[in-house]
Amino acid sequence: MSCKAGQRHHPLRIRQPRLSETLPGIGRPPLVFNVSLPLPDLEEWRAPPSEVPGVWIFDSGRSGPEIVITAMVHGNEYAGGWALENLRKRGPVLSSGRLTLIVANLEAFDSFDIRNPVMARHVDEDLNRLWHSTRLNGRDHSSELERARQIQPYIARADLLLDLHSTLWPSEPLFIAPPRQRSAEFAYALAAGRDLPQTVLTDLGHYGGSRLIEHAHFMSPGGTGRSCLLEAGSHWEPATVTVMENAIERLLAQAGTIHLRGQASQEPCDPEMAPEMAVVTDNIIARHADFRFIRPWEGGVTIPKAGTPLAHDGHDLIYTPYDECLLIMPNLRPRQGQLAVRLARRTAAPLRS
């Protein structure tokens, strides 16, 4: 890594008198996606023993951590539905504590149409932007808001929350933790497992609203609840289910130790396999409808040099502001006002207490 990595030594945006003929950009790629993963059968989740649709609870009968695993916060991200249904059918084995599995947005999932797979993300609004108390306790109503209020009691009792997600555009899998030491430790402990993403990202939150991992239970400075999000791969690929199942296996095996000590009992011996922490420095919002990237960047790519052109945004050119700039989940078709990409820098050492 450059000795100047993470130090800003190039402007992020530069206004161009006219767009460069040598940097045409990729335009806006068509929304054509390969759906290689069939729909899961989630009928058993509609009237479970908990009497709350989408919620299955497994209790060991012995004192231990409250583990909550959520999936399908976005209805079209049904790889998580496969992972939780496979676990439910196997029957999780718990040495202690209680496990709650939540398929969060069955209503949106029911609208999935393979001819337009992106449209089943939500019914009324994004369920992963509603988790601030002002929304949960306010007077607004929507399908997703009512669902958030319904499952909130399970979230508020979690010692460890793992939220399973997938990505629309190509991206390397990674863990995301809210900016709390205890949650970064949790994500780091999971990332140290075999066949799991090694990048643990702490970001700036989401400009559109509070995510599930940012519920007050996990953000309170004096609290003990730990949360993290797993972006496990592309939405409709079988390999994404495998990554999710590996993370679930790691969580169930290490939950007691992580809950009590903030770390796993088995840390990687090989330094090359150790997880890597990264911190988001910039959220790049598309200010214009014609925002377009210079090339179809993939998430997880590291740009070695500051000043590398990334995208056009109107008459602005967007550049990497520092060396070794990590691109986080570029959105290759952002709408005006929408998040286009996050820029991150790696930290020298994992967050530890």
Side-chain angles (χ1 to χ4, degrees), residues 12-13 19 24-29 283-295 297 309-319 329-343:
L12 188 63
R13 286 179 180 264
L19 295 181
I26 63 170
R28 299 178 68 80
N283 288 333
I284 306 301
I285 307 298
R287 296 178 180 175
H288 300 85
D290 64 348
F291 184 104
R292 62 190 186 277
F293 286 99
I294 298 299
R295 53 173 283 191
W297 303 106
L310 293 177
H312 291 293
D313 192 7
H315 289 290
D316 293 346
L317 272 174
I318 311 297
Y319 294 88
M329 293 185 293
N331 176 357
L332 300 184
R333 283 180 59 96
R335 298 187 300 272
Q336 186 175 6
Q338 193 174 34
L339 180 65
V341 65
R342 285 168 276 187
L343 308 182

Side-chain angles (χ1 to χ4, degrees), residues 49-259:
S50 70
E51 300 183 352
V52 178
V55 178
W56 274 81
I57 301 172
F58 300 87
D59 197 330
S60 71
R62 294 177 291 277
S63 178
E66 289 274 359
I67 308 165
V68 177
I69 305 175
T70 52
M72 288 174 54
V73 168
H74 300 129
N76 62 342
E77 297 182 21
Y78 58 74
W82 273 106
L84 293 196
E85 171 61 5
N86 290 343
L87 179 61
R88 184 199 67 80
K89 288 193 296 187
R90 289 195 305 269
V93 178
L94 302 174
S95 58
S96 63
R98 180 165 54 182
L99 171 65
T100 301
L101 307 178
I102 302 177
V103 172
N105 205 337
L106 282 168
E107 188 175 355
F109 169 73
D110 287 340
S111 69
F112 184 84
D113 185 343
I114 195 170
R115 295 168 297 182
N116 196 355
V118 300
M119 294 303 294
R121 182 175 171 86
H122 56 73
V123 177
D124 296 321
E125 59 180 324
D126 193 329
L127 180 55
N128 211 27
R129 305 290 182 267
L130 304 177
W131 294 92
H132 193 275
S133 59
T134 56
R135 293 300 314 274
L136 293 170
N137 301 328
R139 296 183 178 182
D140 294 343
H141 293 278
S142 70
S143 173
E144 276 78 17
L145 195 49
E146 295 306 319
R147 180 58 168 166
R149 290 164 178 159
Q150 184 181 44
I151 63 178
Q152 180 185 207
Y154 303 103
I155 305 304
R157 76 186 190 192
D159 293 309
L160 303 171
L161 169 78
L162 174 61
D163 188 23
L164 302 174
H165 285 259
S166 52
T167 60
L168 179 63
W169 300 103
S171 180
E172 287 294 315
L174 78 162
F175 289 96
I176 301 176
R180 293 293 180 268
Q181 179 75 27
R182 61 186 187 266
S183 288
E185 292 172 343
F186 172 36
Y188 187 89
L190 294 183
R194 292 175 58 86
D195 300 319
L196 283 168
Q198 291 179 267
T199 300
V200 176
L201 183 78
T202 300
D203 64 14
L204 303 171
H206 203 286
Y207 74 100
S210 296
R211 296 168 296 187
L212 177 56
I213 59 172
E214 294 155 349
H215 185 280
H217 178 62
F218 309 112
M219 299 298 287
S220 171
T224 59
R226 306 173 190 262
S227 65
C228 73
L229 181 157
L230 170 62
E231 295 284 3
S234 298
H235 285 338
W236 308 297
E237 294 291 339
T240 302
V241 180
T242 300
V243 174
M244 292 176 172
E245 292 183 328
N246 290 343
I248 291 170
E249 181 181 3
R250 173 74 171 176
L251 171 57
L252 297 184
Q254 298 290 331
T257 307
I258 295 171
H259 175 52

